[in-house]
Amino acid sequence: GFALSISESITGMSGLKYFGELILKITRWVLVFIVVVFLSLLSAQSIAGSGADSIAVKTTKFAVSNFIPVVGGAISDGVETLGMSVKTIKNAAGISGVAGIIYICFIPLLKIYGASLVFHIMAALSYPVSDKRFGDILSGAGSVISLMGGVILAMAFIFIVTAAVIIGTNPAISG
């Protein structure tokens, strides 16, 4: 999209800018579609996995309670207490993980959206004092940089949701 916008600004051929904007819109829609499909599949897997995990935990508790003589009931209760302790640790680890992902993505997003803002401000300031084509180039660059920020934001969102599903459905972690 950006290359077509620059090509129109340099050559003066009309229509290339609009084709570039179409490519940017298609890219945004494809990104949204990928995120929705991925999260839908992940949610379906999470729902199916958590049901199977719950059945496995209940079956294990029943087997330990009934088939280990004398101390089976105590061990079964201990397994439940251990599961609750692990859930507490899991929640703390999950919060730390999400905070880490946000920290890792915050600085690049700040830089990307800051650069996009600078390009758009420069475009707005250049229109009255220079050729319109120069402002169009700056505006196009700002749009492309903004799209890159959107991609990073979408991938961070997917990563956070994936980590939450993995932590929430893992039988060794979820207790």
Side-chain angles (χ1 to χ4, degrees), residues 41-66:
L41 291 173
L42 199 60
S43 297
Q45 179 185 3
S46 171
I47 291 168
S50 64
D53 293 342
S54 176
I55 292 170
V57 169
K58 289 179 181 180
T59 303
T60 303
K61 283 178 59 179
F62 176 78
V64 167
S65 177
N66 290 319

Side-chain angles (χ1 to χ4, degrees), residues 2 5 17 21 24 28 110-130 132-150:
F2 180 59
S5 178
K17 174 183 172 184
E21 289 174 2
L24 282 175
R28 286 185 184 120
L110 190 64
K111 288 180 180 180
I112 285 172
Y113 284 118
S116 176
L117 180 65
V118 167
F119 273 106
H120 284 292
I121 290 171
M122 293 305 296
L125 294 175
S126 71
Y127 279 117
V129 296
S130 70
K132 177 187 177 297
R133 297 181 298 176
F134 185 69
D136 289 342
I137 290 172
L138 291 173
S139 180
S143 296
V144 169
I145 291 173
S146 179
L147 181 64
M148 289 182 349

